[in-house]
Protein backbone atom coordinates (compact mmCIF):
# COMPACT_ATOMS: atom_id res chain seq x y z
CA UNK A 1 0.00 0.00 0.00
CA UNK A 2 1.28 3.45 -0.98
CA UNK A 3 0.81 6.60 1.11
CA UNK A 4 0.79 10.26 0.10
CA UNK A 5 0.46 13.31 2.33
CA UNK A 6 -0.88 16.65 1.05
CA UNK A 7 -0.20 19.71 3.22
CA UNK A 8 -2.65 22.61 3.03
CA UNK A 9 -0.80 25.89 3.56
CA UNK A 10 -2.36 29.37 3.69
CA UNK A 11 -5.86 27.94 3.26
CA UNK A 12 -9.07 28.37 5.28
CA UNK A 13 -9.64 24.74 6.19
CA UNK A 14 -13.38 25.06 6.70
CA UNK A 15 -13.78 26.75 3.29
CA UNK A 16 -11.77 24.01 1.58
CA UNK A 17 -12.58 20.88 3.59
CA UNK A 18 -16.18 21.85 4.39
CA UNK A 19 -18.06 21.61 7.67
CA UNK A 20 -16.87 18.51 9.55
CA UNK A 21 -14.60 17.70 6.58
CA UNK A 22 -17.67 16.95 4.45
CA UNK A 23 -15.88 17.68 1.16
CA UNK A 24 -13.07 15.21 1.84
CA UNK A 25 -15.59 12.60 2.99
CA UNK A 26 -17.31 12.92 -0.41
CA UNK A 27 -14.01 12.19 -2.14
CA UNK A 28 -13.43 9.22 0.18
CA UNK A 29 -16.86 7.77 -0.68
CA UNK A 30 -15.97 7.93 -4.39
CA UNK A 31 -12.81 5.88 -3.75
CA UNK A 32 -13.82 3.14 -1.28
CA UNK A 33 -10.66 1.10 -1.94
CA UNK A 34 -8.46 3.92 -0.62
CA UNK A 35 -8.22 5.51 2.82
CA UNK A 36 -8.42 9.31 2.99
CA UNK A 37 -7.96 10.98 6.39
CA UNK A 38 -7.84 14.71 7.13
CA UNK A 39 -6.10 15.89 10.29
CA UNK A 40 -5.29 19.54 10.85
CA UNK A 41 -3.81 20.93 7.63
CA UNK A 42 -2.80 17.52 6.31
CA UNK A 43 -4.67 15.08 4.05
CA UNK A 44 -3.27 11.55 4.22
CA UNK A 45 -4.10 9.14 1.38
CA UNK A 46 -3.42 5.39 1.44
CA UNK A 47 -4.13 2.99 -1.42
CA UNK A 48 -2.78 1.72 -4.72
CA UNK A 49 -0.69 4.00 -6.91
CA UNK A 50 -3.31 4.41 -9.65
CA UNK A 51 -6.07 5.55 -7.27
CA UNK A 52 -3.75 7.83 -5.31
CA UNK A 53 -2.80 9.61 -8.55
CA UNK A 54 -6.49 10.10 -9.39
CA UNK A 55 -7.30 11.39 -5.90
CA UNK A 56 -4.29 13.70 -6.01
CA UNK A 57 -5.44 15.10 -9.37
CA UNK A 58 -8.94 15.76 -8.01
CA UNK A 59 -7.61 17.45 -4.87
CA UNK A 60 -5.24 19.54 -6.99
CA UNK A 61 -8.18 20.65 -9.14
CA UNK A 62 -10.17 21.51 -5.99
CA UNK A 63 -7.21 23.51 -4.65
CA UNK A 64 -7.05 25.42 -7.93
CA UNK A 65 -10.81 26.04 -7.62
CA UNK A 66 -10.34 27.31 -4.05
CA UNK A 67 -7.51 29.65 -5.05
CA UNK A 68 -9.76 31.10 -7.75
CA UNK A 69 -13.07 31.35 -5.86
CA UNK A 70 -12.10 31.21 -2.17
CA UNK A 71 -14.44 28.33 -1.32
CA UNK A 72 -15.20 24.72 -2.23
CA UNK A 73 -18.75 23.36 -1.92
CA UNK A 74 -20.10 19.81 -1.98
CA UNK A 75 -21.51 20.58 -5.45
CA UNK A 76 -18.00 21.52 -6.63
CA UNK A 77 -16.62 18.24 -5.29
CA UNK A 78 -19.31 16.23 -7.07
CA UNK A 79 -18.67 18.14 -10.29
CA UNK A 80 -14.95 17.30 -10.25
CA UNK A 81 -15.65 13.67 -9.33
CA UNK A 82 -18.10 13.35 -12.26
CA UNK A 83 -15.58 14.98 -14.57
CA UNK A 84 -12.96 12.44 -13.51
CA UNK A 85 -15.37 9.54 -14.09
CA UNK A 86 -16.26 10.93 -17.52
CA UNK A 87 -12.58 11.24 -18.43
CA UNK A 88 -12.05 7.59 -17.49
CA UNK A 89 -14.90 6.66 -19.80
CA UNK A 90 -13.42 8.72 -22.64
CA UNK A 91 -9.98 7.18 -22.15
CA UNK A 92 -11.54 3.76 -22.66
CA UNK A 93 -13.51 4.88 -25.72
CA UNK A 94 -12.87 2.95 -28.92
CA UNK A 95 -10.85 4.68 -31.65
CA UNK A 96 -13.19 5.59 -34.51
CA UNK A 97 -10.52 5.63 -37.21
CA UNK A 98 -6.77 6.11 -37.46
CA UNK A 99 -5.69 9.30 -39.21
CA UNK A 100 -3.16 9.61 -42.00
CA UNK A 101 -0.43 10.21 -39.40
CA UNK A 102 -1.38 7.11 -37.44
CA UNK A 103 -3.09 9.01 -34.64
CA UNK A 104 -6.30 7.47 -33.33
CA UNK A 105 -9.36 9.71 -33.70
CA UNK A 106 -11.97 9.29 -30.97
CA UNK A 107 -14.41 11.48 -29.02
CA UNK A 108 -12.74 13.97 -26.68
CA UNK A 109 -15.75 15.06 -24.62
CA UNK A 110 -18.77 13.42 -23.01
CA UNK A 111 -21.21 14.90 -25.54
CA UNK A 112 -19.03 13.82 -28.47
CA UNK A 113 -19.18 10.35 -26.93
CA UNK A 114 -22.99 10.65 -26.79
CA UNK A 115 -22.98 11.58 -30.48
CA UNK A 116 -20.98 8.47 -31.38
CA UNK A 117 -23.37 6.23 -29.43
CA UNK A 118 -26.43 7.96 -30.88
CA UNK A 119 -25.20 7.35 -34.44
CA UNK A 120 -24.45 3.71 -33.62
CA UNK A 121 -28.00 3.19 -32.32
CA UNK A 122 -30.04 5.33 -34.77
CA UNK A 123 -30.28 5.88 -38.52
CA UNK A 124 -30.94 9.62 -38.18
CA UNK A 125 -29.17 11.85 -35.65
CA UNK A 126 -29.20 15.62 -35.22
CA UNK A 127 -26.06 17.14 -33.65
CA UNK A 128 -26.73 20.71 -32.54
CA UNK A 129 -24.13 22.96 -30.95
CA UNK A 130 -21.74 25.87 -31.39
CA UNK A 131 -18.67 26.04 -33.58
CA UNK A 132 -15.62 24.08 -32.50
CA UNK A 133 -17.47 21.30 -30.68
CA UNK A 134 -16.32 18.63 -33.14
CA UNK A 135 -19.72 17.95 -34.76
CA UNK A 136 -18.37 17.78 -38.29
CA UNK A 137 -15.09 16.08 -37.40
CA UNK A 138 -16.73 13.26 -35.41
CA UNK A 139 -19.40 12.81 -38.09
CA UNK A 140 -16.77 12.55 -40.84
CA UNK A 141 -14.74 10.08 -38.75
CA UNK A 142 -17.80 7.87 -38.28
CA UNK A 143 -18.55 8.03 -41.99
CA UNK A 144 -14.99 7.02 -42.88
CA UNK A 145 -15.13 4.17 -40.37
CA UNK A 146 -18.41 2.90 -41.83
CA UNK A 147 -16.92 2.98 -45.35
CA UNK A 148 -13.73 1.19 -44.30
CA UNK A 149 -15.79 -1.47 -42.47
CA UNK A 150 -17.95 -1.88 -45.61
CA UNK A 151 -21.09 -0.97 -43.65
CA UNK A 152 -21.96 1.49 -46.44
CA UNK A 153 -21.00 1.76 -50.11
CA UNK A 154 -20.45 5.51 -50.23
CA UNK A 155 -20.19 8.72 -48.23
CA UNK A 156 -22.26 11.74 -49.22
CA UNK A 157 -21.49 15.06 -47.56
CA UNK A 158 -23.48 18.16 -48.34
CA UNK A 159 -23.89 21.77 -47.22
CA UNK A 160 -26.27 24.55 -48.18
CA UNK A 161 -24.38 27.15 -50.21
CA UNK A 162 -25.63 30.16 -48.27
CA UNK A 163 -23.81 33.46 -48.40
CA UNK A 164 -22.26 34.26 -45.00
CA UNK A 165 -21.71 37.96 -45.47
CA UNK A 166 -20.13 37.55 -48.92
CA UNK A 167 -21.89 37.52 -52.28
CA UNK A 168 -21.45 34.07 -53.85
CA UNK A 169 -22.10 35.37 -57.35
CA UNK A 170 -19.16 37.76 -57.23
CA UNK A 171 -16.60 35.19 -56.10
CA UNK A 172 -14.05 34.35 -58.83
CA UNK A 173 -14.01 31.09 -60.80
CA UNK A 174 -16.54 28.57 -62.04
CA UNK A 175 -19.33 27.05 -59.92
CA UNK A 176 -17.08 24.42 -58.29
CA UNK A 177 -14.45 27.04 -57.43
CA UNK A 178 -17.15 29.28 -55.97
CA UNK A 179 -18.40 26.42 -53.80
CA UNK A 180 -15.01 25.13 -52.62
CA UNK A 181 -14.70 27.61 -49.71
CA UNK A 182 -18.05 26.39 -48.34
CA UNK A 183 -16.91 22.77 -48.51
CA UNK A 184 -13.31 23.33 -47.37
CA UNK A 185 -13.87 22.20 -43.72
CA UNK A 186 -15.13 18.87 -45.07
CA UNK A 187 -12.02 18.40 -47.25
CA UNK A 188 -9.81 19.31 -44.26
CA UNK A 189 -11.44 16.66 -42.06
CA UNK A 190 -11.26 14.00 -44.77
CA UNK A 191 -7.62 14.91 -45.42
CA UNK A 192 -6.80 14.04 -41.80
CA UNK A 193 -8.29 10.56 -42.20
CA UNK A 194 -7.68 9.49 -45.81
CA UNK A 195 -4.49 9.88 -47.85
CA UNK A 196 -4.70 12.34 -50.73
CA UNK A 197 -4.29 9.60 -53.35
CA UNK A 198 -7.04 7.47 -51.82
CA UNK A 199 -9.33 10.46 -51.40
CA UNK A 200 -8.85 11.40 -55.06
CA UNK A 201 -9.69 7.83 -56.07
CA UNK A 202 -12.82 7.83 -53.90
CA UNK A 203 -14.01 11.12 -55.38
CA UNK A 204 -13.30 10.15 -58.99
CA UNK A 205 -15.29 6.95 -58.50
CA UNK A 206 -18.09 8.74 -56.61
CA UNK A 207 -17.49 6.68 -53.50
CA UNK A 208 -17.17 9.96 -51.63
CA UNK A 209 -19.38 12.79 -52.88
CA UNK A 210 -19.15 16.33 -51.58
CA UNK A 211 -21.76 18.62 -53.06
CA UNK A 212 -24.08 21.54 -52.30
CA UNK A 213 -27.49 20.66 -50.91
CA UNK A 214 -29.33 21.64 -54.09
CA UNK A 215 -27.73 18.63 -55.82
CA UNK A 216 -29.59 16.23 -53.49
CA UNK A 217 -33.03 17.01 -54.91
CA UNK A 218 -34.68 14.04 -56.62
CA UNK A 219 -32.14 11.48 -55.39
CA UNK A 220 -32.62 8.42 -53.18
CA UNK A 221 -29.58 8.01 -50.95
CA UNK A 222 -29.27 4.29 -50.19
CA UNK A 223 -26.41 2.22 -48.69
CA UNK A 224 -24.74 5.53 -47.84
CA UNK A 225 -23.46 7.46 -44.86
CA UNK A 226 -24.89 10.94 -45.39
CA UNK A 227 -23.86 14.11 -43.57
CA UNK A 228 -25.69 17.42 -43.84
CA UNK A 229 -23.40 20.09 -42.41
CA UNK A 230 -24.26 23.71 -41.52
CA UNK A 231 -27.91 22.65 -41.41
CA UNK A 232 -28.95 25.85 -39.64
CA UNK A 233 -28.75 27.48 -43.08
CA UNK A 234 -31.36 25.23 -44.67
CA UNK A 235 -34.88 26.47 -45.22
CA UNK A 236 -37.73 24.28 -43.88
CA UNK A 237 -38.45 23.11 -47.44
CA UNK A 238 -34.79 22.19 -48.03
CA UNK A 239 -34.63 20.27 -44.76
CA UNK A 240 -37.75 18.27 -45.60
CA UNK A 241 -36.38 17.59 -49.08
CA UNK A 242 -33.09 16.33 -47.65
CA UNK A 243 -34.58 14.13 -44.92
CA UNK A 244 -36.94 12.44 -47.36
CA UNK A 245 -33.94 11.38 -49.52
CA UNK A 246 -33.07 8.62 -47.02
CA UNK A 247 -32.97 5.19 -48.59
CA UNK A 248 -32.47 1.66 -47.29
CA UNK A 249 -29.33 0.94 -45.24
CA UNK A 250 -28.46 4.63 -44.86
CA UNK A 251 -27.12 6.56 -41.90
CA UNK A 252 -27.75 10.30 -41.72
CA UNK A 253 -26.22 12.93 -39.44
CA UNK A 254 -27.52 16.50 -39.51
CA UNK A 255 -25.14 19.06 -37.97
CA UNK A 256 -25.86 22.67 -37.18
CA UNK A 257 -25.26 25.70 -34.98
CA UNK A 258 -28.45 27.63 -34.27
CA UNK A 259 -26.43 30.65 -33.08
CA UNK A 260 -24.91 31.17 -36.56
CA UNK A 261 -27.86 31.27 -38.98
CA UNK A 262 -26.94 33.12 -42.20
CA UNK A 263 -30.40 33.02 -43.77
CA UNK A 264 -32.29 36.26 -44.52
CA UNK A 265 -33.77 37.72 -41.33
CA UNK A 266 -37.38 36.72 -42.10
CA UNK A 267 -36.49 33.19 -43.25
CA UNK A 268 -36.97 30.40 -40.69
CA UNK A 269 -34.21 27.85 -40.19
CA UNK A 270 -35.05 24.33 -41.33
CA UNK A 271 -32.90 22.93 -38.52
CA UNK A 272 -34.81 24.81 -35.83
CA UNK A 273 -38.13 23.71 -37.30
CA UNK A 274 -36.97 20.08 -37.55
CA UNK A 275 -35.91 19.96 -33.89
CA UNK A 276 -39.48 20.92 -32.95
CA UNK A 277 -41.35 18.74 -35.45
CA UNK A 278 -39.27 15.53 -35.15
CA UNK A 279 -38.39 15.42 -31.45
CA UNK A 280 -41.00 12.71 -30.70
CA UNK A 281 -40.31 10.49 -33.74
CA UNK A 282 -38.86 7.12 -32.71
CA UNK A 283 -35.53 6.25 -34.29
CA UNK A 284 -34.38 9.88 -34.41
CA UNK A 285 -32.04 11.16 -31.70
CA UNK A 286 -30.95 14.70 -30.90
CA UNK A 287 -27.55 15.35 -29.32
CA UNK A 288 -26.87 18.85 -27.98
CA UNK A 289 -23.30 20.07 -27.56
CA UNK A 290 -22.22 23.19 -25.67
CA UNK A 291 -19.20 25.43 -25.15
CA UNK A 292 -17.89 22.74 -22.75
CA UNK A 293 -17.31 20.52 -25.80
CA UNK A 294 -15.17 23.05 -27.68
CA UNK A 295 -11.88 21.44 -28.69
CA UNK A 296 -10.35 24.38 -30.55
CA UNK A 297 -8.21 27.13 -28.99
CA UNK A 298 -9.03 27.69 -25.31
CA UNK A 299 -10.26 31.22 -26.09
CA UNK A 300 -13.10 29.86 -28.27
CA UNK A 301 -14.98 28.67 -25.17
CA UNK A 302 -14.78 32.15 -23.66
CA UNK A 303 -15.86 33.78 -26.92
CA UNK A 304 -18.92 31.51 -27.23
CA UNK A 305 -19.89 32.09 -23.59
CA UNK A 306 -19.50 35.87 -23.92
CA UNK A 307 -21.66 36.02 -27.06
CA UNK A 308 -24.31 33.79 -25.45
CA UNK A 309 -24.43 36.01 -22.36
CA UNK A 310 -24.70 39.11 -24.56
CA UNK A 311 -27.51 37.62 -26.69
CA UNK A 312 -29.41 36.38 -23.64
CA UNK A 313 -29.24 39.83 -22.01
CA UNK A 314 -30.53 41.49 -25.20
CA UNK A 315 -33.43 39.05 -25.42
Amino acid sequence: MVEKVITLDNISLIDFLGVENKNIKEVAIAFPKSKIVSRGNEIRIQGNTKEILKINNILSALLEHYNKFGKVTEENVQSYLEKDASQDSLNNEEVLVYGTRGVGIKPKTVNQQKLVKAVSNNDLVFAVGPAGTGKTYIAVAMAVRALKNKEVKKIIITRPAVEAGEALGFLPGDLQEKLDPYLRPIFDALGDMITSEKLKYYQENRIIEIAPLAYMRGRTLHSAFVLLDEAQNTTPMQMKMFLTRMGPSSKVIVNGDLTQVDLPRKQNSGLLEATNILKKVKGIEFVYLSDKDVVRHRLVKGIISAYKEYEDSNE
Side-chain angles (χ1 to χ4, degrees), residues 29-192:
I29 291 170
F31 296 94
K33 293 181 181 179
S34 298
K35 185 177 180 181
I36 306 174
V37 178
S38 175
R39 288 198 181 99
N41 69 335
E42 285 187 349
I43 300 174
R44 195 173 297 272
I45 312 165
Q46 294 179 333
N48 63 57
T49 303
K50 185 177 179 181
E51 279 213 346
I52 285 179
L53 286 172
K54 292 179 69 174
I55 294 166
N56 182 68
N57 289 339
I58 290 169
L59 291 176
S60 296
L62 289 171
L63 280 168
E64 188 175 334
H65 180 95
Y66 170 84
N67 290 329
K68 187 174 182 180
F69 299 102
K71 188 177 180 64
V72 174
T73 66
E74 290 179 47
E75 290 76 15
N76 298 146
V77 175
Q78 287 301 323
S79 176
Y80 283 100
L81 288 171
E82 289 171 7
K83 185 176 181 180
D84 177 74
S86 297
Q87 191 59 51
D88 272 356
S89 176
L90 289 170
N91 289 338
N92 294 326
E93 185 71 17
E94 178 187 358
V95 172
L96 299 176
V97 66
Y98 285 94
T100 53
R101 298 179 181 178
V103 178
I105 296 169
K106 61 182 182 178
K108 294 182 178 180
T109 71
V110 173
N111 283 328
Q112 286 185 6
Q113 190 180 56
K114 287 180 181 177
L115 176 57
V116 170
K117 290 179 179 177
V119 174
S120 298
N121 296 328
N122 300 274
D123 289 336
L124 175 56
V125 174
F126 287 79
V128 183
T133 51
K135 304 183 300 296
T136 300
Y137 205 77
I138 291 294
V140 171
M142 294 204 71
V144 171
R145 182 178 72 169
L147 183 64
K148 287 186 174 182
N149 292 343
K150 298 183 178 179
E151 297 167 10
V152 296
K153 293 181 179 178
K154 62 171 64 177
I155 295 172
I156 300 172
I157 304 175
T158 184
R159 276 185 165 194
V162 174
E163 298 168 6
E166 301 89 6
L168 185 62
F170 290 96
L171 291 174
D174 59 21
L175 178 60
Q176 188 58 50
E177 289 171 329
K178 291 174 188 289
L179 291 169
D180 273 352
Y182 291 89
L183 303 173
R184 178 48 48 192
I186 304 295
F187 285 109
D188 290 343
L190 285 169
D192 284 349

Side-chain angles (χ1 to χ4, degrees), residues 204-224:
E204 288 176 348
N205 290 274
R206 302 183 69 81
I207 296 170
I208 293 181
E209 294 183 48
I210 306 172
L213 180 59
Y215 288 21
M216 298 299 108
R217 188 174 298 278
R219 298 183 62 180
T220 300
L221 309 175
H222 56 82
S223 298

Side-chain angles (χ1 to χ4, degrees), residues 170-277:
F170 290 96
L171 291 174
D174 59 21
L175 178 60
Q176 188 58 50
E177 289 171 329
K178 291 174 188 289
L179 291 169
D180 273 352
Y182 291 89
L183 303 173
R184 178 48 48 192
I186 304 295
F187 285 109
D188 290 343
L190 285 169
D192 284 349
M193 304 171 202
I194 303 173
T195 62
S196 57
E197 295 82 4
K198 194 74 171 179
L199 181 56
K200 183 180 180 181
Y201 169 82
Y202 281 151
Q203 287 186 268
E204 288 176 348
N205 290 274
R206 302 183 69 81
I207 296 170
I208 293 181
E209 294 183 48
I210 306 172
L213 180 59
Y215 288 21
M216 298 299 108
R217 188 174 298 278
R219 298 183 62 180
T220 300
L221 309 175
H222 56 82
S223 298
F225 199 112
V226 189
L227 167 61
L228 171 58
D229 206 34
E230 298 290 338
Q232 74 275 6
N233 289 328
T234 61
T235 65
M237 187 178 296
Q238 286 175 325
M239 178 62 76
K240 182 180 178 182
M241 176 275 292
F242 172 77
L243 294 177
T244 54
R245 300 305 94 200
M246 283 185 70
S249 305
S250 288
K251 284 271 188 184
V252 176
I253 303 180
V254 177
N255 287 343
D257 176 4
L258 289 171
T259 68
Q260 294 193 24
V261 178
D262 297 315
L263 293 167
R265 187 173 296 274
K266 294 182 180 180
Q267 176 66 68
N268 292 332
S269 167
L271 176 61
L272 179 60
E273 185 179 88
T275 59
N276 294 321
I277 293 174

